[in-house]
Amino acid sequence: MRPVIVDSAIYRDGRRTAGPSDLSDALAEARATGDAFLWVGLHEPTEAEFDHVASEFALHPLAVEDALKAHQRPKLEVYDDSLFAVLKPIVYEPESDRVSSGELMLFMGDSFVVTVRHGEGAPLAEVRRRLEADPEVLKHGPTAVLYAVSDTIVDHYLDVTGELQVDLEELEADVFAPSGGNPTNTAARIYTAKRQVLEFRRASGPLAGPMARLTAGSVPFVNEHSQPFFRDVNDHLLRSNEQVEGLDRLLSDVLSAHLAQMGVRQNDDMRKISAWAAMAAVPTMVAGIYGMNFDHMPELHWAWSYPVVIGLMAGIVLTLYRMFKRRGWM
């Protein structure tokens, strides 16, 4: 059990206190005083490792199943003895310009909080340290943990949208550059960016419902005076969702502009090819006529026939070139 439990502590009046290492004894001690709670943090436990924790805290089997399988949508579910919340932290990888999501499950009940983290995103050590440095917030019990975790994750959403905005501006610069860049590479980058935005929306979009419930209040196991705090988190979430919706629309517009530009460039190429073909057709036609080897042809035996025909072909080709150049075909 020790490797899977990242941290475990009893908090009394907002301050960390020493307690028994056994979870059952620690929970009994936290409940005995009435002003304390136990916070246990786990990272990617197996079913066997989590069974002990689930039995000690009487967690609902359906919630335990969700916590072990991961790949859940953000949600908030109320059971008889606990509250179960699923959050999806987002991580932006600047080396590859990619967005990846993890999962964080949080159980709240009578004098306890259990957090289960999957993936490397949003480590809770910093959240715990920040809470321990602010006893006025931490003394509100398990609700303070739920608030701090959700606030950290949603604030990071705003940071990631800023990074995605920078990537979008770079894409726009490539698409509207005079040279046009590499069309195939640009299209692939736009599609990749759309996939990153979709991954982001899968994490942030479904979270709007649970945050609205916490903002409205009357959620079991949640402090009734915490509404203003969750309202602030919800405001940040709405702003993040609005930004990512705007990014998605802009990416669609950039893709449409890129495809339109590719069509224009193809039309320009076709016009240039057609112009060169038209200019090549004139000497080909004249040379083909005089190459038919007939005995009786006009000017066949005239001494100036060759230079006259060559000059005529050059004059016609030059006239066509100037006409195409003036119309923008060359």
Side-chain angles (χ1 to χ4, degrees), residues 34-296:
D35 61 348
F37 72 96
L38 173 65
W39 182 2
V40 179
L42 302 96
H43 180 235
E44 297 183 351
T46 64
E47 183 175 356
E49 292 169 333
F50 198 51
D51 279 346
H52 175 65
V53 176
S55 61
E56 291 292 342
F57 294 97
L59 303 181
H60 196 279
L62 294 178
V64 171
E65 181 181 0
D66 289 345
L68 289 172
K69 288 186 176 180
H71 303 293
Q72 304 294 320
R73 286 168 55 89
K75 59 183 178 179
L76 185 69
E77 295 182 350
V78 179
Y79 296 98
D80 293 336
D81 300 321
S82 62
L83 176 72
F84 178 60
V86 178
L87 304 170
K88 293 182 74 70
I90 290 292
V91 176
Y92 179 82
E93 302 170 2
E95 296 81 8
S96 58
D97 294 336
R98 291 186 177 273
V99 169
S100 60
S101 62
E103 289 194 39
L104 196 150
M105 289 76 171
L106 188 145
F107 297 86
M108 284 176 52
D110 180 17
S111 301
F112 74 84
V113 176
V114 176
T115 53
V116 182
R117 183 165 59 90
H118 292 268
E120 298 302 321
L124 295 180
E126 180 59 31
V127 178
R128 191 185 286 259
R129 283 194 296 268
R130 191 169 70 249
L131 277 174
E132 290 176 355
D134 191 356
E136 289 300 317
V137 175
L138 192 55
K139 71 180 182 180
H140 291 89
T143 301
V145 178
L146 176 60
Y147 160 71
V149 170
S150 58
D151 183 59
T152 300
I153 290 175
V154 172
D155 282 348
H156 194 58
Y157 285 172
L158 295 173
D159 296 336
V160 175
T161 56
E163 298 288 350
L164 292 176
Q165 180 66 43
V166 173
D167 292 344
L168 175 58
E169 292 172 357
E170 293 176 355
L171 275 174
E172 288 178 328
D174 288 344
V175 168
F176 295 106
S179 61
N182 186 339
T184 303
N185 184 53
T186 300
R189 289 178 61 196
I190 295 174
Y191 178 77
T192 300
K194 291 279 286 184
R195 293 287 301 176
Q196 308 316 307
V197 170
L198 177 60
E199 182 72 16
F200 191 107
R201 293 177 65 182
R202 286 175 177 169
S204 64
L207 187 58
M211 280 298 137
R213 290 177 59 188
L214 291 170
T215 300
S218 69
V219 177
F221 306 104
V222 176
N223 191 308
E224 59 182 5
H225 301 295
S226 62
Q227 294 181 28
F229 298 95
F230 287 110
R231 190 179 301 120
D232 179 68
V233 177
N234 190 50
D235 289 343
H236 291 178
L237 178 63
L238 292 176
R239 192 192 337 158
S240 172
N241 285 338
E242 289 173 357
Q243 290 179 356
V244 79
E245 288 289 342
L247 288 173
D248 189 48
R249 289 193 298 269
L250 282 174
L251 280 171
S252 298
D253 293 341
V254 169
L255 180 59
S256 299
H258 175 64
L259 295 176
Q261 284 191 334
M262 289 184 63
V264 170
R265 293 192 186 103
Q266 288 176 349
N267 288 338
D268 289 341
D269 293 341
M270 288 301 299
R271 287 193 300 180
K272 291 178 181 179
I273 293 172
S274 300
W276 284 108
M279 290 187 293
V282 173
T284 301
M285 180 187 67
V286 175
I289 292 174
Y290 281 91
M292 291 188 293
N293 298 322
F294 292 146
D295 289 333
H296 303 287

